[in-house]
Amino acid sequence: AYGRELLERSNAEGYGYGAYWAHLVFGNAARSNGDLAQATNCYKAALAIAPTIRDPENHAAMALVNLGEIATGQGEYARAEPWLIEAAAFVRVCGNPWVATYIYHQIGHLYRHQGEYAKAASALAECLDCLAKAGDTGQAKIALMELAHLAVDIARPATAILLFAAATQVPGVFWPAGEVEEATAPLRKIVPEPQFTNDWAVGEHMSWKEVIALVGTFADDQGVGASRDVDGQPQARGLSPREIDVLKLLVDGHSNRAIGETLSISERTVEAHVQHILAKLDVDSRTAAATWAVRNGLL
């Protein structure tokens, strides 16, 4: 009723801004009622009005991300992608970090379901970066959960555990009963309980800066364990760039505390990195890992 009244008054007065919001309200109502075709038409109408009102890029981006979200939910990825990419282009112009957060999360969600994991990780990292710039880390749960599920998809259990645990520490977030247990059940089947408990504790105690660093490393690593150059040197056995940093300091004989201070991460995070390095290199000691690095020309 409010949307209809606003639209009628706006049309009568030639008030484009009101008409835009009326179509957005109608679109949201139609989505709530399950009428996605009507919702799509409403968002398209809002998009058509956006160039004629103030802050056009911001309003176009909001209409486009709603269109993209509906199409993604229907599995129409080819239709969703250009809408979401255009929304991202508009939001880069208007600089609205909250709208940008929503857009990049939707892009990450789209690419994850398409199996384009590198693009998904990059978009979700951008989402969290926008939140950090806006000083609004309270909205990070959804992006962290999406990244954690992505890590599960590509068989990165240790990273998934860290991200799930970090998500549970986002302040002021409601967690439905059983959500965490359901999300982590597949991991508990494949990860030994001592390792799961240790990694979870590390994730729970990560600072926001460490979370951003982990996500950045995960995105840079493209989430697929593919070998790539790091500072001109070959990546070894799926080690992430951060794990290579830790390994180099291990070779120099640094303690976990010293490594943490050098890399600006907590000692518990260093411990987790060391355990992952040993597992990936299939060695049982720090000395053996350092020896492997020297023999294989990693340094």
Side-chain angles (χ1 to χ4, degrees):
Y2 168 74
R4 187 175 296 106
E5 179 185 349
L6 180 59
L7 181 59
E8 290 174 354
R9 188 169 68 248
S10 298
N11 287 336
E13 299 174 1
Y15 183 44
Y17 190 73
Y20 169 89
W21 281 105
H23 285 300
L24 220 61
V25 169
F26 279 137
N28 293 342
R31 285 180 73 178
S32 297
N33 292 328
D35 190 346
L36 300 183
Q38 180 62 28
T40 296
N41 289 334
C42 290
Y43 293 135
K44 285 181 177 179
L47 179 62
I49 295 171
T52 69
I53 60 179
R54 67 177 183 271
D55 199 7
E57 293 86 3
N58 185 51
H59 291 101
M62 286 192 286
L64 284 163
V65 72
N66 277 289
L67 287 167
E69 186 177 17
I70 288 177
T72 299
Q74 294 178 305
E76 298 179 2
Y77 303 132
R79 196 159 65 107
E81 184 175 7
W83 279 331
L84 292 173
I85 296 303
E86 187 177 4
F90 277 129
V91 85
R92 279 193 288 271
V93 174
C94 70
N96 186 326
W98 290 276
V99 176
T101 295
Y102 184 34
I103 291 169
Y104 285 118
H105 173 254
Q106 289 303 318
I107 292 173
H109 182 73
L110 165 72
Y111 284 138
R112 179 189 159 218
H113 285 277
Q114 283 185 296
E116 297 190 51
Y117 299 124
K119 290 182 178 180
S122 178
L124 292 166
E126 188 72 27
C127 172
L128 288 172
D129 186 56
C130 289
L131 285 171
K133 290 176 180 176
D136 186 17
T137 58
Q139 300 299 314
K141 172 195 169 183
I142 296 176
L144 288 173
M145 291 291 284
E146 189 85 46
L147 278 162
H149 284 296
L150 191 158
V152 173
D153 292 343
I154 59 175
R156 290 290 186 85
T159 299
I161 293 168
L162 292 172
L163 290 168
F164 276 131
T168 65
Q169 300 307 300
V170 175
V173 173
F174 171 72
W175 289 87
E179 181 176 357
V180 175
E181 291 76 8
E182 181 180 354
T184 57
L187 293 168
R188 290 186 177 276
K189 293 179 180 178
I190 61 174
V191 178
E193 186 59 33
Q195 181 183 339
F196 184 98
T197 300
N198 180 71
D199 287 350
W200 189 270
V202 171
E204 283 186 318
H205 291 88
M206 290 171 68
S207 67
W208 179 246
K209 181 179 179 180
E210 289 173 334
V211 171
I212 292 296
L214 172 65
V215 170
T217 298
F218 183 50
D220 288 344
D221 200 30
Q222 298 190 347
V224 294
S227 296
R228 65 184 184 86
D229 286 345
V230 178
D231 295 331
Q233 298 176 354
Q235 183 168 314
R237 296 195 184 178
L239 293 179
S240 71
R242 177 60 84 191
E243 288 166 347
I244 290 178
D245 291 339
V246 171
L247 182 54
K248 289 178 178 179
L249 293 170
L250 281 181
V251 172
D252 291 336
H254 291 290
S255 66
N256 286 353
R257 176 176 294 181
I259 293 172
E261 291 174 353
T262 300
L263 300 179
S264 299
I265 57 179
S266 71
E267 190 171 349
R268 293 183 71 97
T269 301
V270 175
E271 291 174 3
H273 282 314
V274 171
Q275 292 304 312
H276 299 159
I277 290 168
L278 298 183
K280 289 180 180 181
L281 299 185
D282 194 23
V283 297
D284 58 8
S285 70
R286 298 160 70 97
T287 300
T291 301
W292 186 97
V294 173
R295 286 178 177 173
N296 286 274
L298 188 64
L299 306 180

